[in-house]
Amino acid sequence: MIKVSIAGVTGFTGEELLRILLRHPGVSVKHLLSRSPGVKISDIQKASRSGLVTEKLTAAVIDDSDAVFLCLPHTEAAPTAMRFYEKGKTVIDLSADFRLKNAGVYRKTYEAVHPFPGALSKAVYGLCEFNREKIKGARLIANPGCYPTAALLAILPALLDRLTEEKNIIVDAKSGISGAGKKLAAEYLYCNANASCRAYKVAEHRHQSEMEEEILLLSGKEAGLTFVPHLIPQDRGMLATVYMRMKTPLRAETVVAAYKKFYKDEKFVLVLPPGEQPATKDVTGTNNARIGIAVDRKAGLLIVTSAIDNLVKGASGQAVQNMNIAFGFDEETAL
């Protein structure tokens, strides 16, 4: 039994994480860290029967934890992460503070100087299907962003199998409103978001740097990537449609066979048969990813669709999957 703390439990990802961890047979949730101590978690999560109460971070809390999950905003997570890390604890960070290896890219992307640039090289990017061996026993795990998770699961098999070019990759992705968190802003109000779909941060979203860096690290190829995210009027769910130029003409059946071989041992990734496409409803509330394949032979394009739940596989579920791998639990435990 490992003792776990959660920082930032009142957000969507924190709430989802707590629900998963409370049913984990190998975990005891010991501390819920918040800037507002003394709040019963059952007052925040109405369906929760947990008697846990929020508290402030102290040295005693760190000593009483084997692992900590950080569901904090970027730039706020790093100092807390290092307090646990320097005490020999395992840190699983759901923010963006340790996803990028280059401090200069981090500064440009997040418009902030990283407070611990020397720690960036120590962090393992927690895309489980590709970095599993590095995650085993790791003590600083950077949980991937939701958009990069959906996109990279679609892109990497084609690049690694040399089916497509690394240039001119287009990622068209759509997310449920929970992907924006609980912040109050006019564009997320019901009257503005309902029955509407809009693109935002076109070709300038922060997750683009994360995708490009991880493609380079895993494939050795510098990707030419265009990323267009959209907000769609549903609570949760994410669908990424990726367009890649094929090196040689391929049939959809050939690509499906290649993707199925690539993911044959993966418990959470399902490659659909030719002619079938995933929907966000297929993965709601699960840690699963569903991938669909199509070929536009006339245009020379491979089109890969990837559906995940942005709060589970795109955040809290993948974080628990990382914990399971790091601590030697069965990967599917609680998921």
Side-chain angles (χ1 to χ4, degrees):
M1 186 74 70
I2 65 170
K3 296 181 289 185
V4 164
S5 294
I6 304 173
V9 73
T10 58
F12 287 133
T13 55
E15 291 178 6
E16 193 73 37
L17 180 61
L18 180 60
R19 276 192 287 268
I20 297 171
L21 290 175
L22 285 175
R23 66 175 182 250
H24 196 298
V27 165
S28 174
V29 180
K30 300 291 288 186
H31 305 282
L32 304 181
L33 308 177
S34 172
R35 285 174 291 189
S36 301
V39 179
K40 294 180 181 178
I41 196 62
S42 57
D43 290 339
I44 301 170
Q45 297 183 14
K46 302 301 182 183
S48 176
R49 292 189 288 178
S50 168
L52 291 165
V53 176
T54 60
E55 57 187 297
K56 287 186 177 180
L57 176 60
T58 64
V61 166
I62 296 174
D63 290 340
D64 194 39
S65 305
D66 298 309
V68 64
F69 291 85
L70 303 179
C71 304
L72 301 171
H74 65 272
T75 72
E76 292 184 24
T80 302
M82 295 312 295
R83 287 187 66 182
F84 279 88
Y85 182 77
E86 289 169 356
K87 288 289 187 178
K89 312 300 181 177
T90 297
V91 177
I92 302 171
D93 181 21
L94 282 78
S95 85
D97 277 357
F98 296 96
R99 293 175 188 163
L100 297 171
K101 298 296 184 187
N102 187 308
V105 174
Y106 179 91
R107 181 175 184 173
K108 181 179 179 181
T109 302
Y110 291 96
E111 299 178 341
V113 176
H114 199 286
F116 302 98
L120 295 176
S121 62
K122 301 174 183 177
V124 174
Y125 188 73
L127 189 63
C128 301
E129 288 73 18
F130 293 87
N131 286 332
R132 183 174 286 108
E133 291 306 312
K134 293 181 180 179
I135 295 166
K136 291 178 180 178
R139 288 203 302 108
L140 181 56
I141 301 170
N143 209 59
C146 50
Y147 281 124
T149 296
L152 291 171
L153 290 174
I155 293 169
L156 286 170
L159 288 185
L160 293 174
D161 279 352
R162 303 182 183 279
L163 304 179
T164 58
E165 304 287 350
E166 63 270 21
K167 302 299 182 181
N168 300 315
I169 299 172
I170 297 174
V171 179
D172 180 304
K174 298 166 178 66
S175 173
I177 297 171
S178 60
K182 285 188 175 181
K183 59 180 174 287
L184 295 177
E187 59 263 42
Y188 308 128
L189 297 177
Y190 178 82
C191 291
N192 294 330
N194 184 52
S196 180
C197 176
R198 68 176 179 87
Y200 67 101
K201 296 188 181 298
V202 176
E204 60 179 20
H205 193 284
R206 289 165 168 172
H207 282 175
Q208 181 163 333
S209 296
E210 185 180 332
M211 296 179 203
E212 290 170 342
E213 183 178 271
E214 202 57 28
I215 289 171
L216 177 61
L217 290 173
L218 288 172
S219 72
K221 299 176 180 179
E222 190 169 332
L225 192 72
T226 299
F227 173 43
V228 183
H230 301 74
L231 195 69
I232 54 176
Q234 61 187 55
D235 294 345
R236 58 202 294 166
M238 178 167 286
L239 182 71
T241 303
V242 179
Y243 303 84
M244 295 177 281
R245 188 157 299 281
M246 295 182 291
K247 287 180 177 290
T248 58
L250 296 168
R251 292 170 53 85
E253 291 80 2
T254 302
V255 181
V256 167
Y259 270 65
K260 282 183 175 288
K261 181 180 179 181
F262 197 93
Y263 285 123
K264 64 183 176 65
D265 296 323
E266 297 303 333
K267 300 175 180 180
F268 295 111
V269 181
L270 175 65
V271 180
L272 300 175
E276 291 189 24
Q277 293 294 328
T280 56
K281 280 285 188 183
D282 300 335
V283 295
T284 300
T286 77
N287 198 53
N288 299 331
R290 285 185 165 231
I291 292 177
I293 305 290
V295 168
D296 185 337
R297 290 175 64 87
K298 185 176 180 180
L301 292 176
L302 171 62
I303 304 168
V304 185
T305 52
S306 172
I308 64 171
D309 186 317
N310 57 294
L311 294 179
V312 188
K313 184 60 173 173
S316 303
Q318 186 158 224
V320 174
Q321 188 179 356
N322 272 302
M323 181 200 72
N324 285 340
I325 295 170
F327 281 92
F329 295 114
D330 185 281
E331 206 161 318
E332 293 179 284
T333 306
L335 297 171

PDB file of all heavy atoms in Angstrom, residues 4 7 29 48 59 85-86 92 129 136 152 155 158 166 171 178 189 211 228 251 260 274 308 316 318 321 326 333:
ATOM      1  N   VAL A   4      -0.481   8.370  -0.794  1.00  0.00           N
ATOM      2  CA  VAL A   4      -0.536   9.342  -1.888  1.00  0.00           C
ATOM      3  C   VAL A   4      -1.145  10.655  -1.403  1.00  0.00           C
ATOM      4  O   VAL A   4      -2.086  10.673  -0.607  1.00  0.00           O
ATOM      5  CB  VAL A   4      -1.372   8.779  -3.060  1.00  0.00           C
ATOM      6  CG1 VAL A   4      -1.775   9.861  -4.035  1.00  0.00           C
ATOM      7  CG2 VAL A   4      -0.584   7.685  -3.776  1.00  0.00           C
ATOM      8  N   ALA A   7      -2.345  17.469  -4.826  1.00  0.00           N
ATOM      9  CA  ALA A   7      -2.358  18.932  -4.732  1.00  0.00           C
ATOM     10  C   ALA A   7      -3.228  19.483  -5.850  1.00  0.00           C
ATOM     11  O   ALA A   7      -3.037  19.140  -7.020  1.00  0.00           O
ATOM     12  CB  ALA A   7      -0.946  19.491  -4.845  1.00  0.00           C
ATOM     13  N   VAL A  29      -5.115   7.233  -0.024  1.00  0.00           N
ATOM     14  CA  VAL A  29      -5.071   8.678  -0.223  1.00  0.00           C
ATOM     15  C   VAL A  29      -4.985   9.337   1.151  1.00  0.00           C
ATOM     16  O   VAL A  29      -5.933   9.291   1.929  1.00  0.00           O
ATOM     17  CB  VAL A  29      -6.297   9.182  -0.996  1.00  0.00           C
ATOM     18  CG1 VAL A  29      -6.217  10.704  -1.182  1.00  0.00           C
ATOM     19  CG2 VAL A  29      -6.407   8.493  -2.353  1.00  0.00           C
ATOM     20  N   SER A  48     -19.175  12.139  -3.249  1.00  0.00           N
ATOM     21  CA  SER A  48     -18.105  11.480  -2.511  1.00  0.00           C
ATOM     22  C   SER A  48     -18.534  11.167  -1.075  1.00  0.00           C
ATOM     23  O   SER A  48     -19.146  11.987  -0.394  1.00  0.00           O
ATOM     24  CB  SER A  48     -16.854  12.355  -2.488  1.00  0.00           C
ATOM     25  OG  SER A  48     -15.844  11.753  -1.701  1.00  0.00           O
ATOM     26  N   ALA A  59       5.963  19.963   5.913  1.00  0.00           N
ATOM     27  CA  ALA A  59       7.022  18.960   5.867  1.00  0.00           C
ATOM     28  C   ALA A  59       6.505  17.605   6.322  1.00  0.00           C
ATOM     29  O   ALA A  59       6.920  16.559   5.800  1.00  0.00           O
ATOM     30  CB  ALA A  59       8.196  19.405   6.744  1.00  0.00           C
ATOM     31  N   TYR A  85      10.204  15.943  -4.583  1.00  0.00           N
ATOM     32  CA  TYR A  85      11.265  15.226  -5.298  1.00  0.00           C
ATOM     33  C   TYR A  85      12.564  15.203  -4.493  1.00  0.00           C
ATOM     34  O   TYR A  85      13.242  14.171  -4.410  1.00  0.00           O
ATOM     35  CB  TYR A  85      11.485  15.900  -6.660  1.00  0.00           C
ATOM     36  CG  TYR A  85      12.531  15.236  -7.517  1.00  0.00           C
ATOM     37  CD1 TYR A  85      12.254  14.053  -8.204  1.00  0.00           C
ATOM     38  CD2 TYR A  85      13.816  15.794  -7.644  1.00  0.00           C
ATOM     39  CE1 TYR A  85      13.223  13.449  -8.997  1.00  0.00           C
ATOM     40  CE2 TYR A  85      14.779  15.198  -8.424  1.00  0.00           C
ATOM     41  CZ  TYR A  85      14.481  14.025  -9.103  1.00  0.00           C
ATOM     42  OH  TYR A  85      15.431  13.423  -9.874  1.00  0.00           O
ATOM     43  N   GLU A  86      12.909  16.319  -3.904  1.00  0.00           N
ATOM     44  CA  GLU A  86      14.150  16.404  -3.133  1.00  0.00           C
ATOM     45  C   GLU A  86      14.119  15.568  -1.853  1.00  0.00           C
ATOM     46  O   GLU A  86      15.160  15.300  -1.257  1.00  0.00           O
ATOM     47  CB  GLU A  86      14.460  17.863  -2.823  1.00  0.00           C
ATOM     48  CG  GLU A  86      14.894  18.643  -4.064  1.00  0.00           C
ATOM     49  CD  GLU A  86      14.944  20.134  -3.852  1.00  0.00           C
ATOM     50  OE1 GLU A  86      14.556  20.595  -2.739  1.00  0.00           O
ATOM     51  OE2 GLU A  86      15.360  20.863  -4.777  1.00  0.00           O
ATOM     52  N   ILE A  92       4.147  13.004  -9.802  1.00  0.00           N
ATOM     53  CA  ILE A  92       3.454  12.894 -11.080  1.00  0.00           C
ATOM     54  C   ILE A  92       2.757  14.226 -11.306  1.00  0.00           C
ATOM     55  O   ILE A  92       1.781  14.560 -10.634  1.00  0.00           O
ATOM     56  CB  ILE A  92       2.459  11.720 -11.075  1.00  0.00           C
ATOM     57  CG1 ILE A  92       3.194  10.410 -10.760  1.00  0.00           C
ATOM     58  CG2 ILE A  92       1.743  11.623 -12.436  1.00  0.00           C
ATOM     59  CD1 ILE A  92       2.287   9.228 -10.530  1.00  0.00           C
ATOM     60  N   GLU A 129       2.437   4.498 -23.551  1.00  0.00           N
ATOM     61  CA  GLU A 129       2.617   3.527 -24.631  1.00  0.00           C
ATOM     62  C   GLU A 129       3.983   3.642 -25.308  1.00  0.00           C
ATOM     63  O   GLU A 129       4.403   2.710 -26.005  1.00  0.00           O
ATOM     64  CB  GLU A 129       1.509   3.689 -25.670  1.00  0.00           C
ATOM     65  CG  GLU A 129       0.137   3.205 -25.209  1.00  0.00           C
ATOM     66  CD  GLU A 129      -0.541   4.106 -24.199  1.00  0.00           C
ATOM     67  OE1 GLU A 129      -0.130   5.292 -24.075  1.00  0.00           O
ATOM     68  OE2 GLU A 129      -1.470   3.641 -23.515  1.00  0.00           O
ATOM     69  N   LYS A 136       9.156   3.226 -15.526  1.00  0.00           N
ATOM     70  CA  LYS A 136       9.354   2.260 -14.450  1.00  0.00           C
ATOM     71  C   LYS A 136      10.395   2.791 -13.460  1.00  0.00           C
ATOM     72  O   LYS A 136      11.551   3.004 -13.816  1.00  0.00           O
ATOM     73  CB  LYS A 136       9.809   0.915 -15.015  1.00  0.00           C
ATOM     74  CG  LYS A 136       8.735   0.197 -15.816  1.00  0.00           C
ATOM     75  CD  LYS A 136       9.257  -1.113 -16.411  1.00  0.00           C
ATOM     76  CE  LYS A 136       8.173  -1.825 -17.217  1.00  0.00           C
ATOM     77  NZ  LYS A 136       8.690  -3.074 -17.844  1.00  0.00           N
ATOM     78  N   LEU A 152      -0.456  12.437 -30.482  1.00  0.00           N
ATOM     79  CA  LEU A 152       0.733  11.601 -30.592  1.00  0.00           C
ATOM     80  C   LEU A 152       0.385  10.124 -30.773  1.00  0.00           C
ATOM     81  O   LEU A 152       1.084   9.401 -31.491  1.00  0.00           O
ATOM     82  CB  LEU A 152       1.625  11.794 -29.362  1.00  0.00           C
ATOM     83  CG  LEU A 152       2.298  13.170 -29.257  1.00  0.00           C
ATOM     84  CD1 LEU A 152       2.967  13.334 -27.903  1.00  0.00           C
ATOM     85  CD2 LEU A 152       3.305  13.384 -30.380  1.00  0.00           C
ATOM     86  N   ILE A 155      -0.164   9.982 -34.440  1.00  0.00           N
ATOM     87  CA  ILE A 155       0.952  10.335 -35.329  1.00  0.00           C
ATOM     88  C   ILE A 155       2.110   9.352 -35.281  1.00  0.00           C
ATOM     89  O   ILE A 155       2.658   8.938 -36.315  1.00  0.00           O
ATOM     90  CB  ILE A 155       1.480  11.744 -34.963  1.00  0.00           C
ATOM     91  CG1 ILE A 155       0.434  12.806 -35.288  1.00  0.00           C
ATOM     92  CG2 ILE A 155       2.786  12.046 -35.698  1.00  0.00           C
ATOM     93  CD1 ILE A 155       0.773  14.182 -34.720  1.00  0.00           C
ATOM     94  N   ALA A 158       2.802   5.994 -37.451  1.00  0.00           N
ATOM     95  CA  ALA A 158       3.062   6.244 -38.872  1.00  0.00           C
ATOM     96  C   ALA A 158       4.475   6.748 -39.100  1.00  0.00           C
ATOM     97  O   ALA A 158       5.160   6.339 -40.054  1.00  0.00           O
ATOM     98  CB  ALA A 158       2.042   7.247 -39.411  1.00  0.00           C
ATOM     99  N   GLU A 166       7.358  13.613 -42.220  1.00  0.00           N
ATOM    100  CA  GLU A 166       7.277  14.318 -40.941  1.00  0.00           C
ATOM    101  C   GLU A 166       6.876  15.782 -41.117  1.00  0.00           C
ATOM    102  O   GLU A 166       6.554  16.460 -40.148  1.00  0.00           O
ATOM    103  CB  GLU A 166       8.604  14.240 -40.189  1.00  0.00           C
ATOM    104  CG  GLU A 166       9.773  14.889 -40.875  1.00  0.00           C
ATOM    105  CD  GLU A 166      10.530  13.926 -41.789  1.00  0.00           C
ATOM    106  OE1 GLU A 166       9.949  12.898 -42.199  1.00  0.00           O
ATOM    107  OE2 GLU A 166      11.703  14.205 -42.079  1.00  0.00           O
ATOM    108  N   VAL A 171      -2.931  18.751 -37.405  1.00  0.00           N
ATOM    109  CA  VAL A 171      -3.714  18.196 -36.297  1.00  0.00           C
ATOM    110  C   VAL A 171      -4.923  19.101 -36.083  1.00  0.00           C
ATOM    111  O   VAL A 171      -4.789  20.257 -35.680  1.00  0.00           O
ATOM    112  CB  VAL A 171      -2.880  18.114 -34.997  1.00  0.00           C
ATOM    113  CG1 VAL A 171      -3.744  17.564 -33.855  1.00  0.00           C
ATOM    114  CG2 VAL A 171      -1.645  17.252 -35.199  1.00  0.00           C
ATOM    115  N   SER A 178     -14.658  20.979 -20.453  1.00  0.00           N
ATOM    116  CA  SER A 178     -13.904  20.699 -19.230  1.00  0.00           C
ATOM    117  C   SER A 178     -12.410  20.814 -19.448  1.00  0.00           C
ATOM    118  O   SER A 178     -11.648  20.985 -18.494  1.00  0.00           O
ATOM    119  CB  SER A 178     -14.248  19.308 -18.693  1.00  0.00           C
ATOM    120  OG  SER A 178     -13.940  18.305 -19.662  1.00  0.00           O
ATOM    121  N   LEU A 189     -19.163  30.196 -20.714  1.00  0.00           N
ATOM    122  CA  LEU A 189     -20.512  30.252 -20.166  1.00  0.00           C
ATOM    123  C   LEU A 189     -21.475  29.474 -21.063  1.00  0.00           C
ATOM    124  O   LEU A 189     -21.309  29.421 -22.282  1.00  0.00           O
ATOM    125  CB  LEU A 189     -20.980  31.703 -20.035  1.00  0.00           C
ATOM    126  CG  LEU A 189     -20.175  32.581 -19.068  1.00  0.00           C
ATOM    127  CD1 LEU A 189     -20.705  34.011 -19.105  1.00  0.00           C
ATOM    128  CD2 LEU A 189     -20.225  32.020 -17.656  1.00  0.00           C
ATOM    129  N   MET A 211       4.025  18.644 -28.578  1.00  0.00           N
ATOM    130  CA  MET A 211       3.923  17.631 -29.629  1.00  0.00           C
ATOM    131  C   MET A 211       5.202  17.577 -30.457  1.00  0.00           C
ATOM    132  O   MET A 211       5.751  16.493 -30.721  1.00  0.00           O
ATOM    133  CB  MET A 211       2.742  17.938 -30.549  1.00  0.00           C
ATOM    134  CG  MET A 211       1.375  17.882 -29.913  1.00  0.00           C
ATOM    135  SD  MET A 211       0.125  18.302 -31.161  1.00  0.00           S
ATOM    136  CE  MET A 211      -1.230  18.839 -30.099  1.00  0.00           C
ATOM    137  N   VAL A 228      -4.644  23.014 -34.854  1.00  0.00           N
ATOM    138  CA  VAL A 228      -5.828  23.865 -34.726  1.00  0.00           C
ATOM    139  C   VAL A 228      -6.792  23.217 -33.724  1.00  0.00           C
ATOM    140  O   VAL A 228      -7.443  22.217 -34.047  1.00  0.00           O
ATOM    141  CB  VAL A 228      -6.536  24.067 -36.076  1.00  0.00           C
ATOM    142  CG1 VAL A 228      -7.720  25.021 -35.912  1.00  0.00           C
ATOM    143  CG2 VAL A 228      -5.566  24.595 -37.119  1.00  0.00           C
ATOM    144  N   ARG A 251      -2.968   1.319 -48.888  1.00  0.00           N
ATOM    145  CA  ARG A 251      -4.374   1.024 -48.661  1.00  0.00           C
ATOM    146  C   ARG A 251      -4.675   1.156 -47.171  1.00  0.00           C
ATOM    147  O   ARG A 251      -3.803   0.927 -46.326  1.00  0.00           O
ATOM    148  CB  ARG A 251      -4.706  -0.392 -49.129  1.00  0.00           C
ATOM    149  CG  ARG A 251      -4.621  -0.582 -50.642  1.00  0.00           C
ATOM    150  CD  ARG A 251      -4.711  -2.053 -51.022  1.00  0.00           C
ATOM    151  NE  ARG A 251      -5.891  -2.686 -50.447  1.00  0.00           N
ATOM    152  CZ  ARG A 251      -7.105  -2.666 -51.009  1.00  0.00           C
ATOM    153  NH1 ARG A 251      -7.286  -2.018 -52.152  1.00  0.00           N
ATOM    154  NH2 ARG A 251      -8.125  -3.265 -50.437  1.00  0.00           N
ATOM    155  N   LYS A 260      -2.292  -1.850 -35.811  1.00  0.00           N
ATOM    156  CA  LYS A 260      -2.663  -2.941 -34.908  1.00  0.00           C
ATOM    157  C   LYS A 260      -1.420  -3.668 -34.406  1.00  0.00           C
ATOM    158  O   LYS A 260      -1.325  -4.033 -33.227  1.00  0.00           O
ATOM    159  CB  LYS A 260      -3.603  -3.921 -35.619  1.00  0.00           C
ATOM    160  CG  LYS A 260      -5.039  -3.448 -35.723  1.00  0.00           C
ATOM    161  CD  LYS A 260      -5.911  -4.515 -36.368  1.00  0.00           C
ATOM    162  CE  LYS A 260      -7.377  -4.106 -36.360  1.00  0.00           C
ATOM    163  NZ  LYS A 260      -7.955  -4.161 -34.998  1.00  0.00           N
ATOM    164  N   PRO A 274     -10.906  -1.069 -40.851  1.00  0.00           N
ATOM    165  CA  PRO A 274     -11.105  -0.103 -41.941  1.00  0.00           C
ATOM    166  C   PRO A 274     -12.585   0.249 -42.087  1.00  0.00           C
ATOM    167  O   PRO A 274     -13.456  -0.624 -41.997  1.00  0.00           O
ATOM    168  CB  PRO A 274     -10.590  -0.843 -43.179  1.00  0.00           C
ATOM    169  CG  PRO A 274      -9.630  -1.846 -42.642  1.00  0.00           C
ATOM    170  CD  PRO A 274     -10.172  -2.266 -41.313  1.00  0.00           C
ATOM    171  N   ILE A 308     -10.299  10.273 -27.178  1.00  0.00           N
ATOM    172  CA  ILE A 308     -10.019   9.992 -25.777  1.00  0.00           C
ATOM    173  C   ILE A 308     -10.964  10.814 -24.901  1.00  0.00           C
ATOM    174  O   ILE A 308     -11.610  11.748 -25.375  1.00  0.00           O
ATOM    175  CB  ILE A 308      -8.559  10.327 -25.384  1.00  0.00           C
ATOM    176  CG1 ILE A 308      -8.282  11.841 -25.522  1.00  0.00           C
ATOM    177  CG2 ILE A 308      -7.567   9.509 -26.202  1.00  0.00           C
ATOM    178  CD1 ILE A 308      -6.943  12.282 -24.947  1.00  0.00           C
ATOM    179  N   SER A 316      -6.112  12.563 -15.765  1.00  0.00           N
ATOM    180  CA  SER A 316      -6.023  11.826 -14.499  1.00  0.00           C
ATOM    181  C   SER A 316      -5.851  10.329 -14.674  1.00  0.00           C
ATOM    182  O   SER A 316      -5.130   9.684 -13.902  1.00  0.00           O
ATOM    183  CB  SER A 316      -7.271  12.123 -13.664  1.00  0.00           C
ATOM    184  OG  SER A 316      -7.406  13.514 -13.461  1.00  0.00           O
ATOM    185  N   GLN A 318      -4.385   8.738 -17.215  1.00  0.00           N
ATOM    186  CA  GLN A 318      -3.010   8.492 -17.627  1.00  0.00           C
ATOM    187  C   GLN A 318      -2.043   8.720 -16.466  1.00  0.00           C
ATOM    188  O   GLN A 318      -1.025   8.034 -16.356  1.00  0.00           O
ATOM    189  CB  GLN A 318      -2.641   9.385 -18.810  1.00  0.00           C
ATOM    190  CG  GLN A 318      -1.273   9.085 -19.383  1.00  0.00           C
ATOM    191  CD  GLN A 318      -1.109   9.557 -20.813  1.00  0.00           C
ATOM    192  OE1 GLN A 318      -0.578   8.829 -21.644  1.00  0.00           O
ATOM    193  NE2 GLN A 318      -1.550  10.763 -21.118  1.00  0.00           N
ATOM    194  N   GLN A 321      -2.171   5.598 -14.582  1.00  0.00           N
ATOM    195  CA  GLN A 321      -1.454   4.609 -15.382  1.00  0.00           C
ATOM    196  C   GLN A 321       0.050   4.770 -15.191  1.00  0.00           C
ATOM    197  O   GLN A 321       0.783   3.785 -15.028  1.00  0.00           O
ATOM    198  CB  GLN A 321      -1.830   4.760 -16.859  1.00  0.00           C
ATOM    199  CG  GLN A 321      -1.280   3.661 -17.761  1.00  0.00           C
ATOM    200  CD  GLN A 321      -1.700   3.857 -19.221  1.00  0.00           C
ATOM    201  OE1 GLN A 321      -2.458   4.774 -19.560  1.00  0.00           O
ATOM    202  NE2 GLN A 321      -1.189   3.013 -20.093  1.00  0.00           N
ATOM    203  N   ALA A 326       5.150   3.043 -12.590  1.00  0.00           N
ATOM    204  CA  ALA A 326       6.291   3.440 -11.765  1.00  0.00           C
ATOM    205  C   ALA A 326       6.428   2.582 -10.519  1.00  0.00           C
ATOM    206  O   ALA A 326       7.551   2.276 -10.082  1.00  0.00           O
ATOM    207  CB  ALA A 326       6.159   4.916 -11.379  1.00  0.00           C
ATOM    208  N   THR A 333      -4.899  -1.429 -13.079  1.00  0.00           N
ATOM    209  CA  THR A 333      -5.471  -1.317 -11.756  1.00  0.00           C
ATOM    210  C   THR A 333      -6.207   0.016 -11.580  1.00  0.00           C
ATOM    211  O   THR A 333      -5.668   1.079 -11.854  1.00  0.00           O
ATOM    212  CB  THR A 333      -4.388  -1.445 -10.670  1.00  0.00           C
ATOM    213  OG1 THR A 333      -3.660  -2.650 -10.867  1.00  0.00           O
ATOM    214  CG2 THR A 333      -5.003  -1.454  -9.284  1.00  0.00           C
TER     215      THR A 333
END
